[in-house]
Amino acid sequence: MLELAILGFLYDAPLHGYELRKRITALTGHVRPVAESTLYPAIKRLEKAGLIARETQPGSGAAPRHVLSLTPEGRRELRKRLSAPARVDITDENRWFTLLAFLRHLEDETAQVAVLESRLAFLEEPASFFYDDSGCPLRAEELDDPFRRGMLTIARATSRAELAWLRATLTSLDGRAR
């Protein structure tokens, strides 16, 4: 997820590390804060792999700034990761939102449709946070616990909103992709 966010934001524009960290934190930080001890090793891995380049520019003060940009290989890698996401990237909400934030960079609308259809199929599977003794998912109405009932009610409303958006977007994209 972190590498995808780095590649995605640098696809948009070259950034220095501090600005990149701010943008990633704005996207995912409320759930998974981005520490410097995590971000900078990821940047170095991507740089070593030839996916990002670093250019030193004079800073506004005495210290120089390192501006990061995506290489052509980095652009290809981002599109590859977007077109073939792992199952966890489809099923984990935070990873999904990171993928969704950059899906526009996948220029092939047929590939975009395939990714959205994967998420749609996942959301249409019967699921719950809680199950009965036989392993069947429980619905909010079947729970006495008001807190668990609240979790399921909120999750259902969120899923319904996302399903409606997915179906409308797929209809729109599918018509253009042909």
Side-chain angles (χ1 to χ4, degrees), residues 54-128:
R54 180 187 312 252
E55 179 185 337
T56 303
Q57 296 179 346
S60 57
R65 293 171 27 147
H66 300 284
V67 177
L68 305 167
S69 61
L70 215 52
T71 65
E73 295 83 13
R75 289 181 175 282
R76 283 192 290 279
E77 179 65 20
L78 175 66
R79 289 190 297 267
K80 177 182 159 192
R81 290 181 187 202
L82 292 171
S83 66
R87 172 112 172 118
V88 70
D89 296 330
I90 299 296
T91 60
D92 179 273
E93 185 173 273
N94 297 310
R95 293 175 75 101
W96 169 247
F97 281 157
T98 301
L99 179 70
L100 195 57
F102 305 109
L103 196 57
R104 68 189 174 96
H105 296 313
L106 186 56
E107 295 161 359
D108 178 2
E109 288 184 351
T110 303
Q112 290 173 336
V113 166
V115 171
L116 295 179
E117 285 175 340
S118 296
R119 178 66 176 185
L120 179 64
F122 164 70
L123 289 177
E124 289 177 334
E125 294 172 8
S128 177

